[in-house]
């Protein structure tokens, strides 16, 4: 609903672009009923949303100064946000996919020197140009389906030089495509072979050398840890959180993906932005996340690809009002998937989210998971005009049909960057 003040305060002199004949899924109010406004209009000024509301309440504007676009009844949503990816990496793991189909489990492959460690080998061998060339089509695929912001993690370098290389490539991607890239340092993703029998020494390297260097060079704004029995234990995870906080990073965790170690409760103690995966999260963990105002990032692609059977505790997350974000987890081992629209579909079909919850999961709640709610994730006055325009008749279509790309146009900071 458009308030009276909203209309009166509108400074129409500054409008640059005005979309008419559209419907809006504003995703305000936690995404309830999509924050839907039918028969709407939306104005953009200096890369920000300057006005939106019912077209019948549109204030007067100078049509000689504003570019007016006829939206032809299309739907506008906030530009989609993929808040958890590992899309910079060397090689691929199609061979392990085959091994799994011959009966080996993800954990068995990891324990036998495959898994994350094999991608580390390929990533170390790859040049920056090669990493960029392989990541670009993945980011392009996301972007073509409406993604305007993506989070990219390091974590396949596992030494200073190669972690920096990954983060620099992630930064370079933002120059190649009109997508905001939020970078996360995931040095504590796996144990590199050279520290095979000394996880504590590796954690010391992460805390005492990698985190300070990455802070100094401003290569990331968040630090993540894979807290798991094939990753790092609670004591090691806590050390990384403490070092990260000391250097001004936000934190998040991969936790409760394969077992319940209590990583999410630990993350809550350190006021993390999010805990991600969370299939094995207990009610105590859910409560701790709720008290710390954390977001649960659900990754249906990894659940599907690993043929996981333990569903994340959706009812408990709802009961305790924990925000649920949805992301691709795009990575070569557990989710070789670069479609956020497919994740919307799976969040509904597999996790039983409502389409409204799922769409909030890739917009407003994804922004919350990245700590950027004041800039992105909703159609609201003053927020960045990152907007996806869809050729659909109702928002649920984005979750319902898969395989036909309904994106009609994409606006990044007020500029039309895709138009079909
Ligand atoms: N959990 C995951 O699902 C990915 N990383 C993680 O900590 C998997 C990464 C990989 O298998 O390469
Ligand atoms: Fe992940």
């Amino acid at each position: 609903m458009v308030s009276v003040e909203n209309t009166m305060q509108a400074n129409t002199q500054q409008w640059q672009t005005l979309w008419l004949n559209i419907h809006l899924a504003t995703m305000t109010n936690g995404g309830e009923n999509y924050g839907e406004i039918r028969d709407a209009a939306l104005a953009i000024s200096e890369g920000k949303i300057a006005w939106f509301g019912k077209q019948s309440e549109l204030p007067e504007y100078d049509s000689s100064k504003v570019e007016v676009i006829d939206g032809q009844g299309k739907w506008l949503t906030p530009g989609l946000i993929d808040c958890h990816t590992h899309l910079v990496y060397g090689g691929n793991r199609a061979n392990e996919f085959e091994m799994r189909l011959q009966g080996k489990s993800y954990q068995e492959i990891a324990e036998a020197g495959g898994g994350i460690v094999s991608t580390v080998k390929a990533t170390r061998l790859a040049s920056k140009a090669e990493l960029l060339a392989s990541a670009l089509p993945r980011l392009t695929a996301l972007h073509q389906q409406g993604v305007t912001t993506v989070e990219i993690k390091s974590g396949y370098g596992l030494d200073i030089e190669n972690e920096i290389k990954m983060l620099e490539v992630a930064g370079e991607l933002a120059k190649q495509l009109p997508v905001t890239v939020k970078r996360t340092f995931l040095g504590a993703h796996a144990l590199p072979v050279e520290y095979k029998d000394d996880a504590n020494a590796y954690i010391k390297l992460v805390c005492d050398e990698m985190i300070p260097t990455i802070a100094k060079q401003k290569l990331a704004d968040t630090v993540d840890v894979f807290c798991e029995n094939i990753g790092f234990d609670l004591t090691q995870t806590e050390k990384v959180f403490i070092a990260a906080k000391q250097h001004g990073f936000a934190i998040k965790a991969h936790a409760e993906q394969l077992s319940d170690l209590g990583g999410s409760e630990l993350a809550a103690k350190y006021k993390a932005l999010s805990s991600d995966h969370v299939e094995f999260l207990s009610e105590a963990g859910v409560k701790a996340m709720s008290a710390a105002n954390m977001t649960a990032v659900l990754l249906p692609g990894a659940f599907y690809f690993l043929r996981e059977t333990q569903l994340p505790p959706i009812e408990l997350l709802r009961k305790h009002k924990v925000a649920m974000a949805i992301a691709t987890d795009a990575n070569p081992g557990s989710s070789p998937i670069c479609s956020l629209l497919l994740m919307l579909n799976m969040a509904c079909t597999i996790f039983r989210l409502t389409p409204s919850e799922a769409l909030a999961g890739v917009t407003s709640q994804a922004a919350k998971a990245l700590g950027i709610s004041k800039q992105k994730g909703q159609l609201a006055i003053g927020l960045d005009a990152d907007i996806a325009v869809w050729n659909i008749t109702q928002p649920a279509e984005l979750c319902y049909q898969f395989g036909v790309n309904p994106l009609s146009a994409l606006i990044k900071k007020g500029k039309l960057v895709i138009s079909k």
Side-chain angles (χ1 to χ4, degrees), residues 112-223:
I116 295 174
V117 166
S118 71
T119 298
V120 172
K121 229 181 255 166
T123 304
R124 286 179 174 180
L125 284 172
S127 67
K128 273 176 77 174
E130 286 165 340
L131 287 179
L132 185 64
S134 63
L136 200 52
R138 296 178 199 126
L139 184 59
T140 302
L142 290 170
H143 181 57
Q144 293 286 334
Q145 291 192 344
V147 170
T148 49
T149 298
V150 69
E151 184 256 19
I152 302 179
K153 300 174 196 296
S154 68
Y156 292 119
L158 308 187
D159 60 27
I160 291 200
E161 178 195 341
N162 287 293
E163 286 292 300
I164 287 178
K165 179 173 76 178
M166 288 187 73
L167 292 168
E168 285 177 347
V169 170
E172 188 58 34
L173 283 166
K175 296 182 190 147
Q176 307 264 332
L177 282 173
V179 175
T180 299
V181 175
K182 299 292 288 179
R183 294 180 292 185
T184 299
F185 170 61
L186 178 57
H189 190 198
L191 206 53
V193 281
E194 60 277 18
Y195 283 88
K196 205 166 180 289
D197 300 311
D198 203 351
N200 288 330
Y202 179 65
I203 287 297
K204 195 163 160 34
L205 178 76
V206 168
C207 295
D208 296 352
E209 293 186 39
M210 293 189 184
I211 287 177
T213 307
I214 283 155
K216 201 161 159 211
Q217 298 188 23
K218 296 191 174 19
L219 289 169
D221 41 46
T222 304
V223 169

Side-chain angles (χ1 to χ4, degrees), residues 84-86 151 153 156 186 189 224 226 254 257 276-277 299 302 328-331 334-335:
H84 178 143
T85 87
H86 312 243
E151 184 256 19
K153 300 174 196 296
Y156 292 119
L186 178 57
H189 190 198
D224 191 349
F226 187 25
H254 280 69
Q257 178 185 6
D276 303 33
H277 286 287
L299 303 164
T328 61
D329 197 16
N331 77 69
S334 67
S335 188

Side-chain angles (χ1 to χ4, degrees), residues 72-75 389-393 397-398 405-409:
Q72 300 174 325
K74 289 173 185 150
W75 278 84
V389 182
W390 304 99
N391 200 0
I392 53 175
T393 59
E397 255 180 84
L398 294 176
N405 187 356
L407 190 78
S408 169

Side-chain angles (χ1 to χ4, degrees), residues 249 256 273 328:
F249 289 103
E256 276 73 71
L273 287 171
T328 61

Side-chain angles (χ1 to χ4, degrees), residues 300-380:
F303 180 93
Y304 155 83
F305 194 75
L306 297 181
R307 306 186 76 235
E308 187 56 73
T309 50
Q310 169 97 16
L311 285 161
I314 305 296
E315 272 313 324
L316 289 173
L317 292 166
R318 282 187 184 125
K319 177 176 153 198
H320 296 288
K321 301 198 171 15
V322 176
M324 293 181 280
I326 310 289
T328 61
D329 197 16
N331 77 69
S334 67
S335 188
I337 297 174
C338 293
S339 169
L340 203 49
L341 292 178
L342 177 57
M343 296 307 99
L344 282 179
N345 182 276
M346 286 186 181
C348 297
T349 54
I350 304 177
F351 290 171
R352 311 308 290 163
L353 263 62
T354 66
S356 187
E357 283 174 327
L359 195 56
V362 297
T363 54
S364 54
Q365 312 294 38
K368 185 167 185 276
L370 295 179
I372 55 171
S373 298
K374 293 206 171 97
Q375 295 89 48
K376 296 181 193 296
Q378 298 177 44
L379 301 181

